[in-house]
Amino acid sequence: MPYPLDPELAAALAMMPEVDISDLAAARAAQKAELSARAAAADTSGTVVKDVREPGVALRLYRPERADGPLPLVFRVHGGGFVLGGPDVDHETNLRLCRALPAVIVSPDYRLAPEHPFPAGLDDCYAALRWAAEHASGLGCDPARVAVAGDSAGACLATAVALLARDRGGPRIAFQYLDSPALDDRLATPSARAFTDTPVWNRRNARLSWAAYLGDGVPGSPGVPATAAPARADAAALAGLPPAHITVMAFDPLRDEGIDYARALLTAGVAAELHLFPGTFHGASLVRHAAVARRMAAEELAVLRRALTC
C-alpha cells in the first residue's frame, strides 16, 4: 500500500536495495560487498581505529587522535535483524561520533543468528562492554560516562546489555540511546500487524529475524526472557535502568514497541524521552542527504553529548 513518506525519502527508495532475509546467504553477500566499499572509502582522519580480538572478545575501537582529559565511552551495537552485519555497518557513523562528541566508540562484533541464537550475541556484547570498562583507563575513558546505543536489533542488544549490567553489578551505564528498537518478539502491536509491505523492514522480515534469534516456534511463546525481548519486562523488571532516549519511525513495524517501551520505562520510574519522526521508514537515516536524516544524526549527537557531559 502507498505510504505518505517524506518526499526526499520517497525519491531515494528506487536507489535503495531491498532487504530480504529469507535468502540469508544472498543478503549477507550483498551487504558485505556494499559495506566493504563504503568502509574502504570512509574518512578516518582524526581517529585511531583498531579491531580487538581476544579470547571471548571481538570489537572495533574508535578513539580520537587527540583528547583533553578522559573521554566518554559509547558502546554502540549495529543492527541487522540479529542475522546480518558487523562493525562495518556503522563504521561511518562511529567515525563521525568519535570525532564530533568526542568519545571512544566501541562496536562489538557479535555472533549472528541463526548459527548462533540467543544468548550468544548478547553474551558477546556484554563481554565486549566488560572488556571496555576494564580497560577504561588505558583507553582514556571516564568509567562514569558510559552510554549504550544501537539501532533495530542493535538497540535490543544494547538495552539487554543494560539489563545485564544492572543485574550483574556492572559495568555502570549512564545512558541508553535506542534507535528504532526491535524489542517485542510477539509482533502484536498495531504497527507490527499493519506494516506488511513497508520499505526496508516489514512484518515478514521481523518474523524471520525473531525466529532466527530465538529459534523456530519460540517467538510469541511463554517464557521468552526480557534479556531476549525487553518488551517482555514489566515495570518492576525495568526499575533501576539508566535514562533512555528512544527514536521511532512513523511507517515501521517496530514503531509501537518503541513507544510502548518508552511508556514502560516511565512507569518504572526511569527517565525516558521519545521522538517519532514523521514520514519515515525503518532505516531512513541511510538516506543521508535527506533533511529528516540530517535531523536524526544531529539529534543523536546532541542527545549523547548532553547525557555524557560532566
Side-chain angles (χ1 to χ4, degrees):
M1 64 176 287
Y3 297 97
L5 299 175
D6 174 277
E8 289 183 294
L9 298 181
L13 276 177
M15 298 177 286
M16 295 183 69
E18 181 182 358
V19 177
D20 181 2
I21 61 172
S22 62
D23 186 343
L24 193 51
R28 285 174 173 172
Q31 185 191 59
K32 183 178 180 180
E34 178 190 357
L35 292 179
S36 295
R38 279 173 36 193
D43 176 13
T44 60
S45 61
T47 67
V48 177
V49 181
K50 179 182 179 182
D51 286 330
V52 175
R53 295 290 186 273
E54 295 186 4
V57 175
L59 57 89
R60 182 170 295 170
L61 186 66
Y62 301 78
R63 288 184 293 175
E65 285 183 343
R66 297 179 180 84
D68 297 324
L71 294 169
L73 187 151
V74 180
F75 186 82
R76 200 165 183 276
V77 190
H78 73 80
F82 306 109
V83 299
L84 294 173
D88 280 351
V89 169
D90 292 335
H91 187 58
E92 294 160 297
T93 299
N94 289 338
L95 288 166
R96 175 180 60 83
L97 289 173
C98 177
R99 285 188 292 259
L101 280 170
V104 172
I105 312 294
V106 172
S107 176
D109 191 4
Y110 59 89
R111 288 170 291 173
L112 300 175
E115 296 87 349
H116 304 283
F118 173 83
L122 176 57
D123 289 343
D124 292 347
C125 289
Y126 185 63
L129 177 66
R130 289 193 59 179
W131 181 94
E134 290 165 1
H135 292 80
S137 59
L139 298 176
C141 294
D142 179 356
R145 292 189 290 158
V146 176
V148 295
D151 72 281
S152 192
C156 176
L157 290 164
T159 200
V161 162
L163 286 164
L164 290 184
R166 180 201 60 189
D167 295 344
R168 297 179 183 179
R172 180 179 177 273
I173 296 172
F175 192 72
Q176 305 176 75
Y177 186 91
L178 310 177
D179 179 5
S180 307
L183 302 170
D184 197 341
D185 63 296
R186 295 165 294 191
L187 299 178
T189 66
S191 63
R193 293 183 182 279
F195 296 145
T196 60
D197 61 349
T198 37
V200 179
W201 202 246
N202 51 46
R203 180 178 178 84
R204 180 169 179 265
N205 275 338
R207 291 179 64 186
L208 291 169
S209 168
W210 281 112
Y213 187 51
L214 300 180
D216 286 335
V218 177
S221 64
V224 173
T227 48
R232 297 281 194 143
D234 58 20
L238 297 176
L241 287 177
H245 183 101
I246 300 171
T247 65
V248 295
M249 305 300 116
F251 302 107
D252 180 357
L254 309 185
R255 180 194 67 195
D256 293 345
E257 59 204 67
I259 294 171
D260 292 346
Y261 194 66
R263 184 184 297 113
L265 288 172
L266 291 169
T267 301
V270 177
E273 185 173 355
L274 174 71
H275 189 162
L276 184 151
F277 285 93
T280 54
F281 50 81
H282 193 88
S285 61
L286 296 173
V287 188
R288 292 184 178 136
H289 67 272
V292 66
R294 295 199 302 272
R295 292 206 322 270
M296 291 180 205
E299 180 173 288
E300 180 179 13
L301 177 61
V303 167
L304 288 171
R305 182 176 285 153
R306 182 173 66 245
L308 297 173
T309 297
C310 291

